[in-house]
Amino acid sequence: MKNINILDSNTIDKIAAGEVVERPSAVVKELVENSIDANADAVTIEIKDGGISFIRITDNGEGIDRSQVKKAFMRHATSKIKSVEDLISVTSLGFRGEALSSISAVGKVEFLTKTKTDFIGTRYVVEGGRECVFEDAGIPDGTTIIVRDLFFNVPARKKFLKSPSSEGNNITELIEHMILSHPNISFKYIYNGNVKLQSSGKNDIKSCIYNVYGRDIANGLIEVKSIRDDISIHGFIGKPELARATRNFEIYFVNNRFIKSTLIDRALEEAYKDYLMLHKYPTVFLYFEIPSHLIDVNVHPTKREIRFFEGEALKCYIVDVIKNALINKELIKEIVEEHHEKPSVKESEINKEPFETINHIIESSYNNYYSSEIEKEDESTDINDKNEQLTLFDDKFISEESIKKHRTIGQLFNTYWLIEFENKLFIVDQHAAHEKVNYERLIKKLRNNENCSQNIYPPIVVSLSNAEAQYVTKYNDNFLNVGFTIEHFGGLDYTISTVPMELLSQNPADYFHEMLDELMEGKNSKETETVNLKIATMACKASVKGNMHLSVFEADKLISELLTLENPYNCPHGRPTIISFSKYEIEKMFKRIVN
Ligand code: ADP
Ligand code: MG
């Protein structure tokens, strides 16, 4: 193992300062990071009562040499950096040398460790900063740390903790991110005596995603892989159907460290902009490899944030990679019969875990030893291959060649067009298709500064509410940009004398109020382009509400035009325009295929 040094004051001053252990999840984070830094490939995390009464981390890593164990618990003791210069190139997860000292100051810590070269291991007990025991321990290679009664000697801190279940949830989320950030490590997470999460350590990101987030998410992913200059991006991005109401599923790692970055969030959201409804956020699992000279990890005490030195370039790169992945993939939501459940871990598997029995022994007496190896758990939850295949869209439904081979069957419920192509039934929502096609045409003209409007004669008179009238006055220029000429006619009456060309077939009186309602509901923006786009979106949405009768010929034309768009899969609000059923699924529903 490497030597542990005490950092000099100059280096200490340069390290982002702040509290490392304010709650149980922070303790778990520091300790699991230590296991990872010690090159462990199997790590078990066990907690009870949200980590407040009990935390155990066991790894099969390098361990600490007997002669260095006490040193590791001193403040600013670390084997990971020696001087300020090392901060620039640091690749380990930890480097502040504070976790063990801070944790043992506020909890009852029992530390068991053995290196390969040590003949016998060491057991060290420190409670509230007081050394209690230092002795031999017959243990396997690696390290176990147990933290009991966190903040037992700092009641003010203890009061500050949330409920055990809420603290436990934070830990669970942390472990989920750990599993994803290190797919090469086999993790086992035991929560109040039950195995809650487990990963194989076989370096298969998709199976990690499956284990943590389940089948629906694992099946809705598109793989991305790209290298530009010295930076690489790989991983999986979710199809638009996996969109969420929060940013919690914008999950990414920089050099295997889970971080949050507004720069990356913004890049992701920009790339998905045309695919998602307002206030919806994408699901992604992305891994960035960035050379250490382009980032600074020393900006946040728990290293949750990092600084990018060439942020704008990185942002553009991310947008490019994701947009390309979304464009090149058919994003038609496929309906797959639901009947597979996420496999749950059996109670009996817990008993196989060697340290469970050890805990038991340690709980009852400090002087018992154990010897047993942590074994890599066998992957018990591989992805179901057949379902996997079903969600891959190999058929190129939208290519020019295939459009000729589409067979339009007819219209259903005055709204949906049924199309047969190869081994699939596609269903196109006529309203969503119309809205999308109109919107794209309108936006194209707006972007090219072309004239968007068409006169209507005689002008239509609409009576507005006070709020509507105010809105129309305030954004009159924007309405004009998009193609609506609206003029005051007396009182609360206004005339509409031109409308966007795309909406000519509709009577503006039928959709104008609804459009204004929707517009006023959203956030007000001052930016001209944002307001224009909003007006265009709402206008297209509101104008296609009525049941429009289309002939088969007109429907074919509409659908063909839809399929030429860069993103034909979602209406401007992110609703899908096309869904599909495979022949296989249909035959399965009719029990022609049984399995
Ligand atoms: P840091 O991780 O910032 O170096 P810590 O206080 O977390 O500081 O740990 C101090 C030192 O103890 C580490 O630098 C490492 O050498 C050693 N150490 C801690 N945990 C482990 C572990 N699980 N396995 C091996 N060595 C460890
Ligand atoms: Mg550490």
Side-chain angles (χ1 to χ4, degrees), residues 20 29-35 37 77-78 80 93-100 103 303:
V20 222
K29 175 174 186 284
E30 291 293 329
L31 298 178
V32 175
E33 288 186 348
N34 278 349
S35 298
D37 285 343
T78 180
K80 299 166 194 175
L93 293 171
F95 52 76
R96 292 159 45 106
E98 283 192 290
L100 293 185
I103 295 166
K303 307 171 202 77

Side-chain angles (χ1 to χ4, degrees), residues 426-564:
F426 290 86
I427 305 182
V428 179
D429 179 331
Q430 180 186 309
H431 291 167
H434 232 154
E435 187 182 334
K436 180 71 181 181
V437 165
N438 283 345
Y439 174 78
E440 290 293 334
R441 283 197 209 141
L442 184 54
I443 293 303
K444 206 166 157 194
K445 284 188 197 149
L446 263 176
R447 295 229 158 103
N448 298 339
N449 280 329
E450 285 173 38
N451 178 18
C452 303
S453 67
Q454 185 78 25
N455 289 331
I456 33 178
Y457 193 80
I460 306 275
V461 180
V462 287
S463 282
L464 303 181
S465 69
N466 274 310
E468 286 173 335
Q470 258 180 23
Y471 204 88
V472 163
T473 314
K474 185 170 167 196
Y475 291 107
N476 203 277
D477 286 348
N478 300 98
F479 280 104
L480 208 55
N481 287 341
V482 180
F484 290 100
T485 308
I486 308 163
E487 282 157 319
H488 192 210
F489 194 53
L492 283 171
D493 285 350
Y494 286 75
T495 56
I496 303 174
S497 55
T498 74
V499 294
M501 233 173 278
E502 288 65 35
L503 310 184
L504 193 60
S505 57
Q506 306 293 308
N507 181 347
D510 292 343
Y511 63 81
F512 201 67
H513 291 287
E514 189 186 339
M515 169 185 147
L516 289 181
D517 279 353
E518 290 239 10
L519 264 176
M520 291 190 296
E521 243 173 47
K523 279 199 219 108
N524 276 344
S525 170
K526 285 198 180 67
E527 236 186 278
T528 311
E529 177 163 352
T530 316
V531 180
N532 288 353
L533 285 182
K534 256 172 82 176
I535 294 178
T537 313
M538 299 309 171
C540 293
K541 180 182 176 201
S543 69
V544 296
K545 275 288 161 60
N547 272 348
M548 265 177 305
H549 182 75
L550 289 190
S551 67
V552 174
F553 177 73
E554 285 166 322
D556 275 345
K557 234 178 93 193
L558 172 69
I559 293 163
S560 300
E561 181 167 354
L562 173 75
L563 296 180
T564 60

Side-chain angles (χ1 to χ4, degrees), residues 391-456:
T391 54
L392 296 174
F393 303 114
D394 341 338
D395 319 337
K396 283 279 162 219
F397 180 62
I398 65 165
S399 75
E400 236 177 90
E401 265 315 288
S402 1
I403 290 178
K404 291 181 207 145
K405 297 185 200 141
H406 291 179
R407 187 173 75 85
T408 305
I409 302 164
Q411 200 188 27
L412 180 70
F413 309 138
N414 273 330
T415 307
Y416 306 102
W417 287 91
L418 309 183
I419 298 160
E420 182 187 340
F421 173 62
E422 296 193 336
N423 268 339
K424 279 188 177 172
L425 167 68
F426 290 86
I427 305 182
V428 179
D429 179 331
Q430 180 186 309
H431 291 167
H434 232 154
E435 187 182 334
K436 180 71 181 181
V437 165
N438 283 345
Y439 174 78
E440 290 293 334
R441 283 197 209 141
L442 184 54
I443 293 303
K444 206 166 157 194
K445 284 188 197 149
L446 263 176
R447 295 229 158 103
N448 298 339
N449 280 329
E450 285 173 38
N451 178 18
C452 303
S453 67
Q454 185 78 25
N455 289 331
I456 33 178

Side-chain angles (χ1 to χ4, degrees), residues 35-53:
S35 298
I36 296 170
D37 285 343
N39 293 319
D41 63 11
V43 180
T44 296
I45 302 103
E46 176 171 11
I47 64 158
K48 288 177 187 159
D49 305 318
I52 301 167
S53 70

